[in-house]
Amino acid sequence: MKVRLIVRRWKQGWTRPRYDVFDVEADPEESVLDLIERVSLSTDRTLVFEHACHHGACGACGMLINGVERLACVTKVGEAARKGLLLVEPLRGFEVISDLAVDKSRMFSKYPAETQTLEPVAASLEKLYDCVECGVCYSACPIANTYGEYLGPSVLALAYHRALSDGVVPGSVAGSGGVWACHAAFDCSEKCPVGFKPGEKIMKLRRLLLGGRVKVS
Amino acid sequence: MTAVSKHVVVIGGGVTGAATAYDLSLRGFRVTLLERGSIGAGTSGRTHGLLHSGCRYVADTEVARECYLENQTLRRIAPFLFEKNGGLFVAITEDDLAYKDFFLKKCGEAGIPVEEVEPAAALKMEPNLNPKLKAAVLVPDGTFDPLKVILSFLASAKRCGAVVKPYNEVVGFRVEGGEVRAVRVLDKVSLREYELEADFFVNATGAWANKVASLAGLHVPVKPSPGVMVALDGRIGNRVFNRLNKPGDGDIIIHQRGTSVIGTTSWIVEDPDGVSIPKEHVELMIKRGSEIAPVVSRMRVKAVYVSSRPLVGQAAQTGREVSRSFAIIDHSREGVGNMLSIIGGKFVTARLMAEKMGDAVCERLGVSVPSRTAELPLAPYWLYFS
Ligand SMILES: Cc1cc2nc3c(=O)[nH]c(=O)nc-3n(C[C@H](O)[C@H](O)[C@H](O)COP(=O)(O)OP(=O)(O)OC[C@H]3O[C@@H](n4cnc5c(N)ncnc54)[C@H](O)[C@@H]3O)c2cc1C
Ligand code: SF4
Ligand code: FES
């Protein structure tokens, strides 16, 4: 199929972004990420975007595709294109590094210091949390978009899991930038590519705190 | 000579370059890492994410042992990065079953602790396995999110002062008097070209190693060898599923976070850029995957992806052999004394590759500081962002 790929471009030092148009031949079954990579290899090597796993497992490739937060690697061109148009823009809620790449330190700098990243599945089995740490929920969240101090949906959802296993959460989680800043819009859960349900987990964490069933450190 | 006075540029932000930047900066070198795309955008981001036990390579005892030892080292220095659930090698056919005794014997020779379990017990552990399985062996496999492992090496490197520059592509070299003086770099963040001088250069660009080396008029005998992987929309087990037989197409299913991945195939290409996915490889993965776990045929495919192994070509025998599985290419025989390339290996052996590269750089620069990456804990990946 013929696709008109429109990419929001911004480079360090520019006063405003620019929209570049690439008319390309694409397979409706291929991912938006593969298409972007092909354009970067064949037409414009200065195109900046983040990607690694290409199968929805690492969270690198979150972006707005026709206005909606998606992981580009698990979004098919044929499903996402509207009348042959594909508009790709960086996630909201983060500072843009360049073009489609954003600085996710806002999310990662709020991780607890200790290295606990696995959840138990059974007695001797463990897995990484389903959250792929993509930042899509920050971009979708009206609070995270306007309130820089907000810890953000995924960090709070992970704190909820920690509260269940350890019975304690850090003070910041119970503070004004924590669970109480959430306005229960649930856009995070709606857009989360893996169904991690951060919105619901924030509500549950509130109830744990209100009921005094989890300590604040 | 002290390491601090020496600047080393590492080209390539895959797991090999990241581990090398860490090894060198921990030894005290001033390190800058350049990656043309985002971190892990080459082969390393696009693997299965299998923490090899070594059992897939038992035909070569040395390679198998190397994998197993690195598996143990990584678990020790960064337990938080790995789902340490083990793996099962399962025999489905008589032909698979005939491979079992050889397999068990070779695992023993390589020093990999494995344990045969009754088929019924294996099915209880992993109900999605083929109910007709004839034999099962438990092995110390694990899985990981490749990007997070690479970022952990880089977070550790940054803690030792390394500078990491993604979106900075090497587009040329300035070679004078038998040495590389500087690389020319295209910075895609600010859209400018600049020159970066250094005392030593490490080319860790994997399947791209020859493309990059040729910018300096040098040659690296790498054979890019792509493989296709199929990701399912869901997780069908906890332990890695391996076919108990010689390594072949579609003989492994690994699970990580909420996804299971079937792998893989193998062929050779000239250029690792723009490899397309043969449709029949996808069908083959699903067919062969269903033999191991019948549920595969009923699942939605979430993504199909491909990446290229940086295989060591025959000609590498003229290079400097440090291991059977990877090679450090010495460019001094081509007239450039301060650049080494590294190809081959596995994601899981990247730390060891980096240690050997660190030794080689030290020898060249007359510095004697040992590698310490096997002893010290890795920094968590989120510190990369601080
Ligand atoms: C299908 C498949 C599955 C695999 N599965 C596993 C597995 O489960 N477990 C395992 O242990 N191993 C696995 N491997 C092997 C492993 O992935 C590779 O050996 C390893 O990732 C290679 O890492 P690298 O850093 O050498 O190369 P790469 O990750 O490719 O890094 C090289 C980097 O150099 C960059 N680069 C290229 N040109 C330039 C330039 N001009 N300037 C700057 N940077 C440049 C590239 O963008 C790239 O990021 C698999 C390989 C394949 C193909
Ligand atoms: S909770 Fe969902 S949307 Fe938010 S970072 Fe995790 S995977 Fe992404
Ligand atoms: S590239 Fe890893 S989630 Fe898309």
Side-chain angles (χ1 to χ4, degrees), chain A residues 33 50-62 71-74 132 134, chain B residues 45-46 145 147:
Chain A
L33 180 62
E50 211 192 319
H51 61 132
C53 75
H54 284 240
H55 69 283
C58 77
C61 70
L71 294 179
C73 66
V74 289
V132 295
C134 62
Chain B
R46 275 175 253 192
D145 167 348
L147 175 60

Side-chain angles (χ1 to χ4, degrees), chain A residues 11 37 117 126 128 133, chain B residues 46 80 84-85 188 381:
Chain A
K11 300 289 179 192
E37 186 180 38
T117 60
E126 59 192 3
L128 293 160
E133 310 171 289
Chain B
R46 275 175 253 192
F80 59 94
K84 301 168 285 295
N85 296 327
K188 304 173 186 187
Y381 53 87

Side-chain angles (χ1 to χ4, degrees), chain A residues 167-182:
Chain A
V168 55
V169 291
S172 57
V173 167
S176 62
V179 287
W180 308 112
C182 167

Side-chain angles (χ1 to χ4, degrees), chain B residues 312-328:
Chain B
V312 183
Q314 285 300 321
Q317 274 150 16
T318 60
R320 171 179 170 150
E321 285 262 358
V322 288
S323 157
R324 289 267 282 286
S325 70
F326 60 89
I328 291 177

Side-chain angles (χ1 to χ4, degrees), chain A residues 107 131-137 154 192-194 196 198:
Chain A
M107 173 172 72
C131 169
V132 295
E133 310 171 289
C134 62
V136 154
C137 50
S154 66
C192 172
V194 299
F196 198 56

